[in-house]
Each structure stands twice: as structure tokens, then as C-alpha cells.
Amino acid sequence: MKLINEKKPAFPWFGMDIGGTLVKLVYFEPVDITAEEEQEEVENLKSIRRYLTSNVAYGKTGVRDVHLELRNLTMCGRTGNLHFIRFPTQAMPRFIQMGRDKNFSSLHTTLCATGGGAYKFENEFRMMADLELLKLDELDCLIRGLLFVDRVGFNGHPECYYFQNPSDTQSCVKKPCTLDNPFPMLLVNIGSGVSILAVYSENNYKRVTGTSLGGGTFLGLCCLLTGCETFEEALEMASKGDSTNVDKLVKDIYGGDYERFGLQGSAVASSFGHMMSKEKRDSISKEDLARATLVTITNNIGSIARMCAVNEKIERVVFVGNFLRINTVSTKLLAYAMDYWSKGQLRALFLEHEGYFGAVGALMELLKTTEDP
Amino acid sequence: MAECGRVDSNTSHTMDKSITLPPDEIFRNLENAKRFAIDIGGSLTKLAYYSTVQHKVAKVRSFDHTAKAAAGDKLYEISMQEEVTARLHFIKFENAYIETCLDFIKDHLVNTETKVIKATGGGAHKFKELIERKLGLKVDKEDEMTCLIKGCNFVLKNIPHEAFVYAKHADSEFRFQTTNPDIFPYLLVNIGSGVSIVKVESEDKFERIGGSSIGGGTFWGLGALLTKTKRFDELLQLASKGQHASVDMLVKDIYGGSYGYLGLTGDLIASSFGKSATADKDFSKEDMAKSLLHMISNDIGQLACLYAKLHNLSRVYFGGFFIRGHPVTMHTITYSINFFTKGEVQALFLRHEGYLGTIGAFLKGAEEDNPNQYSWGENYAGSSGLMSVSPDMNPMQRARSGTFPFDMLEMDRLERQLVNLPLLQDPSSYIPDTVDLTEDALAREYWLYCFEEALDGVVKRAVASQPDMPEAALRAEKFRQKYRHKLQTLRQQPFAYGSLTVRSLLDTREHCLNEFNFPDPYSKIKQRENDIALKYYQKAVKSLDELSWEEKQFALVQGVLAGNVFDWGAKAVSDVLESDPEFGFEEAKRQLEERPWLVDSYDQWLERLKGPPHKCALFFVDNSGVDIILGVMPFVRELLSRGTEVVLASNSGPALNDVTNGELQILTERIAAMDPVIEAGLREDRLLLVQSGSSSPCLDLSRLDKVLAMVVRERQTDLVIIEGMGRAIHTNYYAMLSCESLKMAVIKNSWLADRLGGKLFSVVFKYEVPAGKPNKDCGAFSPS
């Protein structure tokens, strides 16, 4: 027992994914701490645990997604709760500063990090906080984390869901499902940019392509077009807008369907096409612009994903990434686009922990030596 | 997610409707015009019509010599006749001019048969009423995409160097593609306000396989919102000055460097506009426009690649107003395609992309005339060329240049249908021209200078060829201006008509001469030279027959080469020739370089002649006079005597002093009357005179008369002889044939001689046997 314990990494257990826009942090809070352990536990460690678990917001921009917490999870022989925390990548210097102030390096833990920031901030961690990062590939982590969370489930419920009747706004409903036999799947990770992977097994996958039109583009354009400052604000506006005031539809050009090519009149012919006209530019609302931006980016991702799925001969398309957080406009649109353009051949699947799989994967790397699911 | 609809016209400027056009230069040949078609886009109108052009041609007619006319009489007479040929006119102008143009057409339209005008384009419905009222023609609307594809097929098939690859940083930005008769299947990515991706499988079979709503309208609309800049081309200008890295989140912004594991370099865009998600910072218009341009170009490129891969297509053409001759967008699209396919697929663009819709609409209306059964050729005299002072140019530039914003394309219907020589080893890689002057700046400089220098002489000769016509001098002057202007254009834009070559410079000159009714400035000279040379034929043959077999073979080759020295470009020899042709001919032989020649595979040729005779030789001949009569004919005579059939291929129409098919018919008859070998050859159908389909001093083996190709195939031709600088050095020097070939020429230009490592009158005698056949050897040189 003691031997195994020795193999276990020292607490605290963190996994971190430093993306272009957001840092995703998962923290395993052990709930099976023995009295002996409690006594041995250094003050430092206690204070970290208390700080993280008793707050839902950290500083001005850090947030704990309480609703995503995985409770009573067994990892590496320990039982605990997995917490999901995010803050903007811009706040990384402050985070590293905090690591130094709290003397994190004295805990002798390994900090497993993935995402581009693991490389970008490696030196600062070392110089500022005397911390060595264990850098991990973001796609490896993403897949490993995703498969793990899907396997353990979401506190007794399935992690995965899809939309029933995606082509009908009235009867379109979210339905839970399981990824029982997940391979092959096309995995579309929408962060600041987009990566598309064909996954054949946990260790066998390839990056098919990617696009720079992602969540960062949505937010960046919205900020420029509407003066908004946050993703939440942008989504809020988008939910109230009407993109058909901005986009030119097939029927705006042909008066109806373009039958020669089987295009519906309601299909978008030209994103932002109406904005070529000065009168229309002068009369448009910010909400309409935000909606059009969201629809444009989402449709484009859907279109590329669909082409990749056809090229790779994969029918299951799983969308993840923080772009989909609180973003039912996009999830429903993706579900519709996959279904409509493939004539029902493709199914879009989504996961509740959208953007956290990389961080979970990084944590699992920490526990890898003794991990025994 | 369609495109197709062009942009609404909110950009057309108000212009003075009473503006006077220089009509003769724009709507040419309207008197005979019929079959109109019009394509009205968001800002540009493209008009098409079919017309006939009446121009003079020189015809030769044999005198009746059986009447035993007095000695010294001319061999044949030359007469100028009027000939009517068909021509297609395409004109592009800004929508603002549409009313003025319609009025002009109405006033000049004589043909009353015309009842309808085919129309396409997003603006067609908007101007329908105006067109019907002004012209009294019924507007008949055609599907836009169908027209586009039809037009695309037509230009790909009929215009050499129509398609090009764009390489911004290469020596020449435009790399033109050789015409491949097999144009299908291909992918057309039309980037209008949205994007349509169409797979074209045959003349009538095409399918829209995909598209995207992120297109030119997105660039324009979103760009206008972001930068408060209204015009499309102003947005492009902004973009060309910006730095996208201040707006885009790059891989290195996330990773601090490259993402080595996936091979993504640090400069790659990870998230378009990823850095603008902040309220604290202002971004420059230029930078935002640039970022937007990259975002849209990359996105379209990526989708195009996905579709190309899915349908296994490697030829992808891009068009639509987003592309239309804009170097900025051609560059970003090319970059994107290279990135996503790792160079496997090349982005192709079209010189006449803006005309596809109207060409297609026209063809729809002309189906009963079956225009696809003819071959057509771009008329360099009447066409503006790529990036001319066209309406696509931005108004500021145009105002400075002070020219009318009209762009024209004219295509002549060729009398013959043109096809590949069946003996080309690989038609898809055949390039007629030896030097591409678009890429070779030094050579370009020299030849442009050379043609400019020669212009005075050409003008003089043109005037002299029409002594009975007092206005000839005036016309010749107009010709001078036109051709000089073309040369100036080509100095600025060498790529205007595809790859610039000596051939295209010569052809442009012929087109300009024809334009001003100088169909054959050399007709009289050729006539005189033929007359004189013919008198020495028998004597020449007799002296050859006195030689030993081996001496004779050499003398025959020498004769062809010496005859080829006689060219009216070389003034020194022409004087001698006129006074004493026999002496001149012997003198020319002495002038020839001693063996070994610059390129010399004579020994191999002689060895070959000791073997079995060839089945059939195809001989592309060059000049009139001494060349054909004293040089080529004895050579032909020897081939016939050996038991080889001979097909003499000569030009269909005149070019310089080259012998035309019409002239050759008469000459050969005359010779047959003196020479039983030639007579028997003709009688037994072992000597054939066939026209090449060309009217150029050079030779494009991929555009030859269909009849010639048929004869070549039927006769199982196993030897091709190409004679003269124009056909064997400027063109076809590197042409690979699937049978034995012999290229013979004397280099009569010291600059070219110098370049090839020889001197004036150096000899090229290149006998080649294709790999895998016996007797493999050939003289080869590489131009240094």
C-alpha cells in the first residue's frame, strides 16, 4: 500500500491547457484525505485547496465552472472532485506571479501543461516561479481527456449529446447519448482557431486540417464591429440579432430557390453580402452584425468539417472547444448543417465539458504511471 | 450557399451620359453585326456580337502557259480580292456607359434579322427594359452558370496561353499553360459575392458540387464595415499595404515559436482576427483589410482543395470579380492552394475570365451556327490584352492614363479546324516556342528593339506592295502606329497576350498588317523571285545528277541551307540575287559555315540514307524563290526517287516571303512540266501539297489543319523535316516527335547566333531519332 502510494504523484494534482485565448485548469480535490494525511499536509497545499474549492471566481477574470464539476471521481486510487477552472491567457503573467508568491515550487509537484502556452510560458514559469513544466502535446491530451470523461460520465449522466430533429427549430431537442464505440470519429476542436482530427483509436489519429476561422475570429470581429468586450457579451448580442439583414440570401439574388443547382432561397449566398450597400450598412444593428458573424463562422466550420468527414469516410463528427460554451446557436446550427448537407448521413455530437479535455488529458499524464481505470 | 449573383450596383458612378465614344475603335464592324449577347455584372457590362469582316486577300492565279505566251512572262498573276471572314467581338465597359453604348449600337445597327439579345449576369433583369427599349430587341435570359461554363470551355479550347499560374515573386509573374486539347475534367471556382465550385466533365455536363457564402461579397461587405472604405478595389489597395500579423493570432503568438510536432510554422495564422478581441487597441484599416483578405482567400483555397481532392481533380481554375486580374487576390489564392495541397494542385487563372459569361451567352444564341465546330484565334490587333487600360483598373490610374475604359477581345473564325500534329511525342507538354521572352528579359529587350527597328522597312514594303492605291501610305502609317503601340504595351506588359515570343511578335505584326488591308506585302517580291529561280531549276538538277551519290546528298543539304539564306531580310544577298541568281546561289553556298556546323548530325543522316527509304516525309517549307525552288524541290525529288512519299506543308495564308499553298501549287505544276520525277510524283499521288492551316512565319505543331493531320496519319509518315529559322529555331527547336525528324536552318541574325554560341550564317542541322528506335543520335546544343 505504501509502495503504491509512493508511486502516486504528490498533491496538488493539476492539469493545465494554455490556449490562445483561454487557460483551462482542472484540479483534483481529494475527498478521502485521512487524518494522518491531513496532519502531514503542508499549509501551503491546504490553502491552495481551500482557495480553489471555496471560490467560484478568482481575481477579475478567473471562473470555476461549478456546474461541470465531476463529483466522487476515482482517479489513481484516490477519490475526489474534479474542478474546472478557466481564465484568460492574458492573465498568465499574474498566474505565474501567484505561483511564485504562494511558493508553489516547494510542493515538488509536476505541473503538467499542454496547449501552445506550455511552450510559450515555459521560460517564465522557470524564471519567475522556479517551476518546471511537463509539456504535453495538445492533441494527445485532447483525445485522452475526452475519452476519459466520456468513460466516467457526467455524475451519472452521459457526457455526450446530440440534437434530435435538427432541421426543425420547433421540435429540435437536445438528447443525451453515449460514445460506446467511439471510433472512428472526426473530432473538431474549436478554440481560437480550429483543428480537425480523424481519430481511429486512443493513440492512432491524424490532424486532417484546420482553419483560422474559429472562436477567436468570432470574438475578434465582434469586438471590432460592435465594440463588445467579452465572449458572453458577443453571444448575448448574437442571440438577439437577425443575420438575414446582413447576409445576402439565395432568394435575394434569384427571387426564390436557385433550382438549377437545388439551392434553397433561404440559403446564405454571400455572408455580409448586404453590407456592400451603404444604405444597408447605415441601418444595421449591432445585434444583427454579431449574429451574422456567429452564423458565418459556424457555417464555415460546419462546411469544412463535413468535407473532411466525407473525404475521410467518417460518419460521426464530434464538436468540442470553448467556442461552443453557452453557444446553443452554434451547436444547433452545426447539428442542422451536418444533417442537411449530408442528407442525414452525418451526425453531429457534442460534449458537456466542451473545452476542458486538453486539461484533463494533461492531468492524466501526471497520473499515468499508476492510472488504472 | 450559392454565388452566381453579381454584386448589386451601388458603386457605379454617375457619369456624363452624353460622353462621346471613339466608336470606330470600340464597336467595330457593327454594320454586319448579328447575334448579340450581353452580360451585366455588378459594375461591368460585357457585350458580344458576331460580325463579318471584309478585307483584302492576295490571290494567285496561274496564267495559261499552254498558249505559249512570250518568254519572260510572269509565272502567275496576283490579284487582290475581297474576302469575308467571321469575327467575334467582345467589349467590356462600366455599367455607367451602358446607355450611351446602347444608343450607339442602335444608330449603327443595320442588320434587321436580329430579333433577340441573349442576356446573363445579375444585372440583366435590371437593364432588361432599357435594352429592349433602346435596341428594339427582345431580351432572352440565360442561366448564368451555364454561360460561364460554356465560355470557359470555349476560351480553354481556342485561345493559346489562356490559362496561367500566378507567381508574385518569380521573374515573370505569369506562367502561361500550353493548350491541352483535352480540357476536361476541371474544377471552376467562381468567386463572386459568394463562391460556387463547379465540376465540369464535358461540353454539356457540369455540376455545382459545392460552394461557400464566404466570398467576394464578404470581403467587400465586412471590409466596408471595418474600414469605412466603400469601393472594392480601394479595399484591395488597403489590403496590399497592411500587415496582418497585428490583427491575426499566429501560431507563434500561442506557442512562442513553431508547433514543431505538427509541422506548423510560427507564422501560420492560428486564428484570424484573434488579436482584435480587445477593446483597448485600435487597428489600422490596412491591417484589418489584409487580415480579412487572408482569411477569405485561405478559406476559399481550403474548400477548393477539399473538393478537388474529393473529386480527384488537379486542374482548378479561379474566376469571378474577386479574382478578375487583381494581382493581390491571385497571389493570396495561389498561396492558399499551395499551402493546402503542398503544391500538388496549382491555382490556374484565365486571361479572359471577365468575358466568360458573355461568350457563353453568345454561344447559347449561336448554337444553330455551331460555333464549336470551328477553330477560332485571338486577333492580337483587335484585342486589348491582359491588364490593358481596362475598366478593371482603378479610376485614379485610369484618369492618369487618359484612355477610355474599354477592353476588347476579338476572335477570328479560322477557315480550318486546327488539331495536333499526330506525331508529337507528348502533346500535353509540347511548347512550340524555344525562348519565352516573358521570362527572359535580355532576349525580350533585344527582340522588341529589333521589331521596332524593322518597322520602317515593313511600312515601306507595305506601301510598295500596293502601288495603285494612293491611300496605301496613310493606311501604312496607321499600321505603324498600331504596331508600335502594341510593342510599347508589350514592353510594359510582356504577358498581355500570353507568353511573349518571337512568334507572337511576328503574328501580331501580321494581324496588324491585315487589319489595315495589307494582306501580303511580299506578294510582288515573291512573284519575281519565283520567276527568276524557276529558270535555273533544270540546270541545278542537272548539275546535281552529275555528282556521285555521296556528293549529291551533301550538295542537296547544302542547297536547302543556301536557299534558306535567301531571305528578304538579308539585304546584301537580295541585291546579288536580283542581278544573277545562279551566281548568288553558288555564292550563298560558299558563305555557309564549313562543317562541322554549329549543330551537326549530318553524318548520322548520311548513314540513315544508306538504309531503307522512309515511307513518307512531311516537309514544312519556308521561303519562296530560291529556297523552295532550288533548295527544297531537288531535295524532294531525291526523296521521291528513293521511294519516299512526300507531303509538302505550306502556309494557308501569307506571312513575310514564305511560300503559300496557293503559290506552291502553281510552282509545283511548273516544275512538274520540266521534271519527270516531280511529274510522276504528283500523278502517282506520291507528292502531296497540303496547307498547314497557319499564316505565321513560325510553326505551332499543336494547331495544324485537320486535313494535314489526317494525311500524315494515313500515309504513315515516318520523317518530319522542318526548315528555316522561324519554324526550326524560334519554334520547335526542342519539339520531340515520335518519328525521325530533321531540322535545318541557317542563323541569319547575329544576336541569336551569338546567343547560341555560333556566328552569323552558322548552320543548324539537327537529325533526331526518338528514343527506342535505332540510329539514336542527334546533334544537340544548349543555348548558353
Side-chain angles (χ1 to χ4, degrees):
Chain A
M1 193 64 196
K2 204 160 191 203
L3 265 172
I4 295 170
N5 260 340
E6 267 175 8
K7 269 192 183 173
K8 280 179 192 165
F11 286 123
W13 291 354
F14 282 113
M16 185 156 62
D17 176 5
I18 313 169
T21 311
L22 283 178
V23 180
K24 284 75 68 177
L25 191 68
V26 292
Y27 168 64
F28 183 83
E29 172 210 1
V31 293
D32 54 354
I33 300 178
T34 58
E36 190 186 355
E37 265 181 319
E38 181 99 38
Q39 263 192 344
E40 279 177 18
E41 196 175 35
V42 291
E43 195 48 44
N44 218 348
L45 190 56
K46 264 185 202 130
S47 84
I48 288 172
R49 192 171 73 230
R50 262 186 241 116
Y51 174 67
L52 290 177
T53 54
S54 59
N55 290 305
V56 291
Y58 315 96
K60 277 184 194 160
T61 50
V63 175
R64 181 156 62 90
D65 284 314
V66 185
H67 67 285
L68 292 180
E69 182 179 328
L70 295 177
R71 290 182 296 278
N72 290 316
L73 194 64
T74 305
M75 284 186 100
C76 202
R78 300 297 301 255
T79 304
N81 301 326
L82 197 58
H83 298 277
F84 297 85
I85 298 160
R86 60 185 152 88
F87 59 89
T89 307
Q90 282 174 342
M92 258 328 264
R94 253 180 296 149
F95 179 79
I96 297 170
Q97 186 76 36
M98 192 175 75
R100 186 175 74 168
D101 296 347
K102 304 244 164 176
N103 203 11
F104 205 86
S105 61
S106 68
L107 295 170
H108 304 295
T109 183
T110 315
L111 198 49
C112 284
T114 186
Y119 296 79
K120 186 179 176 181
F121 296 103
E122 180 184 20
N123 222 14
E124 283 177 84
F125 269 104
R126 189 183 295 137
M127 307 300 283
M128 304 260 302
D130 192 27
L131 279 168
E132 278 304 318
L133 293 187
L134 179 59
K135 303 192 297 292
L136 300 164
D137 180 74
E138 60 175 295
L139 302 181
D140 289 344
C141 290
L142 170 68
I143 292 167
R144 201 179 303 129
L146 183 151
L147 294 172
F148 173 78
V149 176
D150 179 62
R151 203 158 50 221
V152 299
F154 188 11
N155 299 325
H157 301 283
E159 166 70 12
C160 186
Y161 65 91
Y162 69 100
F163 288 95
Q164 205 173 38
N165 306 321
S167 52
D168 179 4
T169 41
Q170 300 301 313
S171 59
C172 172
V173 279
K174 182 174 163 179
K175 289 271 177 185
C177 64
T178 50
L179 264 182
D180 279 343
N181 185 12
F183 308 115
M185 71 170 150
L186 195 77
L187 182 56
V188 183
N189 184 28
I190 317 173
S192 314
V194 182
S195 274
I196 300 180
L197 319 177
V199 188
Y200 301 99
S201 75
E202 177 152 356
N203 299 309
N204 179 16
Y205 70 88
K206 64 175 180 186
R207 184 179 188 272
V208 180
T209 189
T211 166
S212 69
L213 284 85
T217 315
F218 164 64
L219 186 54
L221 280 175
C222 269
C223 289
L224 292 173
L225 293 171
T226 70
C228 72
E229 290 181 33
T230 65
F231 183 66
E232 288 77 4
E233 236 183 298
L235 276 184
E236 174 67 20
M237 277 200 280
S239 67
K240 293 178 196 155
D242 179 357
S243 60
T244 61
N245 294 328
V246 180
D247 296 339
K248 200 174 260 193
L249 307 185
V250 169
K251 67 178 172 210
D252 295 325
I253 298 171
Y254 295 97
D257 297 351
Y258 189 13
E259 281 158 22
R260 175 80 177 72
F261 291 127
L263 288 168
Q264 289 187 328
S266 59
V268 184
S270 173
S271 297
F272 287 84
H274 278 319
M275 297 296 95
M276 288 184 276
S277 137
K278 187 174 185 314
E279 302 85 74
K280 293 214 160 130
R281 281 201 297 276
D282 291 344
S283 68
I284 205 73
S285 77
K286 288 180 174 182
E287 286 74 16
D288 291 346
L289 288 173
R291 178 65 164 233
T293 310
L294 187 62
V295 169
T296 301
I297 300 292
T298 306
N299 270 334
N300 190 59
I301 294 168
S303 173
I304 293 173
R306 187 178 60 84
M307 282 304 296
C308 290
V310 176
N311 269 336
E312 302 297 324
K313 301 182 178 61
I314 297 177
E315 289 180 1
R316 185 171 14 206
V317 186
V318 181
F319 292 94
V320 297
N322 265 321
F323 173 66
L324 301 175
R325 192 173 65 80
I326 57 168
N327 186 358
T328 43
V329 173
S330 290
T331 46
K332 284 189 178 174
L333 198 52
L334 287 170
Y336 167 74
M338 288 303 112
D339 182 70
Y340 178 81
W341 292 106
S342 74
K343 300 186 174 70
Q345 287 295 299
L346 297 175
R347 173 178 273 193
L349 298 173
F350 304 91
L351 298 168
E352 300 284 359
H353 288 82
E354 291 124 359
Y356 282 109
F357 301 116
V360 174
L363 171 64
M364 290 172 66
E365 185 67 28
L366 177 72
L367 311 178
K368 205 174 179 183
T369 42
T370 49
E371 158 78 331
D372 186 20
Chain B
M1 297 195 186
E3 181 279 315
C4 316
R6 303 282 164 80
V7 179
D8 271 359
S9 173
N10 49 51
T11 51
S12 28
H13 334 282
T14 37
M15 275 185 209
D16 186 5
K17 298 280 197 260
S18 65
I19 186 164
T20 40
L21 305 169
D24 296 343
E25 288 159 38
I26 296 168
F27 297 101
R28 294 156 23 107
N29 301 312
L30 261 183
E31 312 77 56
N32 305 310
K34 57 176 186 174
R35 299 206 191 292
F36 283 82
I38 196 163
D39 172 11
I40 308 177
S43 51
L44 297 177
T45 296
K46 281 79 69 175
L47 183 78
Y49 56 88
Y50 168 98
S51 187
T52 47
V53 195
Q54 200 165 34
H55 57 82
K56 292 202 164 35
V57 286
K59 291 275 181 196
V60 289
R61 194 167 65 88
S62 185
F63 286 115
D64 187 1
H65 280 250
T66 51
K68 280 278 167 221
D73 260 6
K74 289 195 168 53
L75 176 65
Y76 56 82
E77 66 172 344
I78 306 162
S79 61
M80 293 288 253
Q81 291 175 15
E82 293 285 332
E83 196 179 72
V84 174
T85 54
R87 186 174 287 178
L88 298 181
H89 293 261
F90 303 99
I91 301 120
K92 179 158 70 176
F93 51 86
E94 283 195 28
N95 288 354
Y97 290 100
I98 199 163
E99 209 166 333
T100 319
C101 291
L102 291 176
D103 282 336
F104 182 83
I105 293 166
K106 177 72 193 158
D107 293 346
H108 292 78
L109 193 60
V110 186
N111 190 316
T112 48
E113 286 169 42
T114 307
K115 298 262 191 305
V116 293
I117 178 166
K118 290 282 178 188
T120 186
H125 68 274
K126 192 171 154 187
F127 291 96
K128 181 173 187 280
E129 195 268 333
L130 183 75
I131 297 167
E132 294 193 332
R133 180 160 49 83
K134 292 268 181 193
L135 296 186
L137 301 177
K138 186 178 164 295
V139 170
D140 192 1
K141 229 184 150 233
E142 288 291 338
D143 174 67
E144 199 165 335
M145 195 58 68
T146 309
C147 292
L148 206 60
I149 304 296
K150 263 196 172 311
C152 194
N153 293 340
F154 185 79
V155 296
L156 285 175
K157 271 191 296 194
N158 286 290
I159 306 188
H161 292 170
E162 175 61 31
F164 62 88
V165 169
Y166 185 77
K168 190 183 175 187
H169 300 295
D171 285 343
S172 87
E173 291 166 75
F174 302 85
R175 274 191 288 126
F176 294 95
Q177 308 293 296
T178 51
T179 3
N180 188 340
D182 208 3
I183 63 169
F184 303 111
Y186 66 86
L187 204 61
L188 179 67
V189 181
N190 192 50
I191 314 175
S193 45
V195 181
S196 279
I197 301 177
V198 185
K199 176 185 177 182
V200 186
E201 285 176 282
S202 70
E203 194 59 53
D204 299 304
K205 193 175 173 208
F206 67 90
E207 183 192 357
R208 185 187 189 276
I209 54 172
S212 167
S213 67
I214 299 185
T218 315
F219 177 71
W220 194 344
L222 198 45
L225 287 169
L226 292 171
T227 67
K228 316 277 180 258
T229 303
K230 288 176 204 160
R231 285 182 58 94
F232 178 70
D233 43 8
E234 283 166 5
L235 275 168
L236 280 182
Q237 284 208 319
L238 279 182
S240 63
K241 286 182 266 175
Q243 301 290 328
H244 74 102
S246 59
V247 183
D248 290 341
M249 187 183 283
L250 309 184
V251 166
K252 68 181 172 199
D253 293 321
I254 302 176
Y255 274 81
S258 64
Y259 183 2
Y261 177 73
L262 286 177
L264 303 178
T265 65
D267 286 326
L268 216 63
I269 304 170
S271 174
S272 295
F273 286 90
K275 280 187 192 151
S276 67
T278 165
D280 326 329
K281 223 179 131 198
D282 283 332
F283 297 91
S284 82
K285 290 179 178 187
E286 288 82 1
D287 293 352
M288 287 188 289
K290 176 75 161 210
S291 172
L292 186 62
L293 176 67
H294 275 299
M295 175 180 109
I296 288 168
S297 301
N298 286 339
D299 193 54
I300 295 169
Q302 180 171 27
L303 272 176
C305 292
L306 286 168
Y307 281 103
K309 189 181 166 199
L310 185 64
H311 294 264
N312 202 16
L313 297 168
S314 58
R315 273 176 288 192
V316 186
Y317 300 98
F318 287 85
F321 81 76
F322 185 69
I323 297 293
R324 206 143 298 163
H326 299 296
V328 191
T329 52
M330 289 195 288
H331 173 62
T332 51
I333 287 285
T334 300
Y335 177 87
S336 170
I337 295 291
N338 283 342
F339 174 78
F340 284 109
T341 68
K342 298 179 180 73
E344 276 172 36
V345 172
Q346 282 191 317
L348 294 166
F349 305 96
L350 301 170
R351 277 201 289 141
H352 299 102
E353 193 277 316
Y355 286 110
L356 302 187
T358 190
I359 292 175
F362 171 82
L363 293 174
K364 281 293 272 184
E367 260 158 6
E368 64 204 67
D369 284 349
N370 221 347
N372 270 324
Q373 76 179 3
Y374 298 100
S375 286
W376 299 78
E378 180 177 10
N379 187 306
Y380 296 137
S383 303
S384 312
L386 187 64
M387 300 210 174
S388 66
V389 187
S390 75
D392 297 322
M393 193 184 241
N394 85 58
M396 266 108 74
Q397 277 173 289
R398 212 170 50 220
R400 271 200 300 276
S401 71
T403 29
F404 271 95
F406 284 77
D407 185 275
M408 287 173 289
L409 165 64
E410 293 185 8
M411 297 192 66
D412 290 321
R413 189 173 79 196
L414 308 176
E415 279 174 58
R416 343 273 307 175
Q417 202 171 349
L418 303 183
V419 297
N420 272 325
L421 177 69
L423 296 170
L424 282 175
Q425 221 173 64
D426 177 14
S428 62
S429 67
Y430 168 73
I431 299 169
D433 307 286
T434 307
V435 179
D436 183 345
L437 303 179
T438 335
E439 285 177 12
D440 188 335
L442 272 176
R444 177 168 74 234
E445 201 53 41
Y446 170 75
W447 286 110
L448 284 171
Y449 167 80
C450 208
F451 276 86
E452 188 128 20
E453 281 292 288
L455 194 48
D456 276 341
V458 177
V459 169
K460 268 191 209 136
R461 197 163 311 284
V463 177
S465 71
Q466 298 178 354
D468 319 330
M469 300 186 192
E471 37 44 271
L474 191 67
R475 269 188 289 123
E477 205 45 49
K478 281 187 182 166
F479 154 75
R480 183 208 300 275
Q481 282 171 17
K482 181 120 193 175
Y483 190 57
R484 179 170 288 155
H485 180 72
K486 290 280 168 194
L487 291 175
Q488 280 160 357
T489 306
L490 289 166
R491 212 178 278 278
Q492 304 299 318
Q493 288 129 232
F495 44 79
Y497 300 96
S499 287
L500 183 66
T501 60
V502 174
R503 177 168 63 106
S504 72
L505 284 167
L506 285 164
D507 289 353
T508 307
R509 191 166 71 189
E510 295 299 328
H511 290 177
C512 289
L513 281 166
N514 279 328
E515 196 58 40
F516 295 99
N517 270 320
F518 293 107
D520 193 0
Y522 285 82
S523 55
K524 295 235 159 43
I525 292 164
K526 287 188 285 183
Q527 182 191 37
R528 191 165 67 239
E529 215 194 278
N530 286 335
D531 277 343
I532 297 168
L534 207 56
K535 295 193 178 103
Y536 293 89
Y537 177 77
Q538 275 171 305
K539 201 171 166 192
V541 169
K542 188 162 174 283
S543 69
L544 281 166
D545 284 344
E546 284 162 5
L547 300 171
S548 70
W549 183 83
E550 215 162 304
E551 283 170 342
K552 186 179 177 184
Q553 300 314 312
F554 188 68
L556 284 168
V557 166
Q558 250 192 332
V560 171
L561 293 167
N564 197 242
V565 171
F566 286 101
D567 199 323
W568 285 88
K571 183 88 173 72
V573 267
S574 66
D575 289 345
V576 182
L577 178 76
E578 268 184 82
S579 55
D580 186 349
E582 193 190 4
F583 170 76
F585 189 46
E586 291 309 313
E587 183 61 26
K589 283 187 193 170
R590 276 189 290 278
Q591 287 266 341
L592 286 180
E593 185 187 26
E594 290 285 324
R595 284 195 66 199
W597 295 318
L598 180 59
V599 177
D600 192 339
S601 35
Y602 178 74
D603 292 342
Q604 286 81 5
W605 170 245
L606 189 67
E607 273 313 301
R608 173 64 187 87
L609 289 181
K610 289 174 186 166
H614 293 93
K615 165 80 179 62
C616 173
L618 168 65
F619 200 136
F620 287 98
V621 300
D622 189 9
N623 304 322
S624 293
V626 173
D627 187 343
I628 183 76
I629 297 167
L630 303 182
V632 174
M633 278 303 183
F635 195 96
V636 169
R637 183 175 188 271
E638 178 71 11
L639 286 171
L640 289 168
S641 308
R642 280 172 57 81
T644 302
E645 294 172 13
V646 180
V647 178
L648 282 179
S650 54
N651 270 4
S652 302
L656 296 177
N657 62 332
D658 292 1
V659 64
T660 63
N661 188 255
E663 290 156 356
L664 191 55
Q665 299 279 358
I666 297 168
L667 292 181
T668 313
E669 274 172 39
R670 291 291 131 220
I671 292 170
M674 304 185 263
D675 184 339
V677 180
I678 300 291
E679 191 273 333
L682 287 175
R683 182 163 36 80
E684 291 161 15
D685 201 28
R686 293 192 302 114
L687 172 60
L688 282 87
L689 310 177
V690 183
Q691 48 183 308
S692 66
S694 162
S695 302
S696 165
C698 294
L699 178 64
D700 179 352
L701 295 176
S702 66
R703 281 168 77 82
L704 292 176
D705 194 328
K706 204 175 178 179
V707 175
L708 175 62
M710 207 180 66
V711 170
V712 162
R713 217 179 277 116
E714 277 174 4
R715 302 270 162 155
Q716 294 166 305
T717 304
D718 54 355
L719 172 67
V720 174
I721 304 172
I722 307 177
E723 184 214 2
M725 237 176 38
R727 291 175 183 77
I729 294 187
H730 289 317
T731 53
N732 299 310
Y733 188 74
Y734 298 113
M736 303 289 283
L737 298 168
S738 58
C739 66
E740 290 172 52
S741 66
L742 183 54
K743 295 162 190 170
M744 288 186 278
V746 179
I747 304 172
K748 290 171 285 190
N749 171 296
S750 51
W751 183 89
L752 183 64
D754 195 47
R755 205 164 222 236
L756 297 175
K759 51 191 192 302
L760 197 63
F761 299 125
S762 274
V763 168
V764 169
F765 186 93
K766 197 180 185 191
Y767 168 63
E768 290 170 297
V769 181
K773 301 213 172 170
N775 255 345
K776 183 184 183 289
D777 195 289
C778 51
F781 64 55
S782 47
S784 46

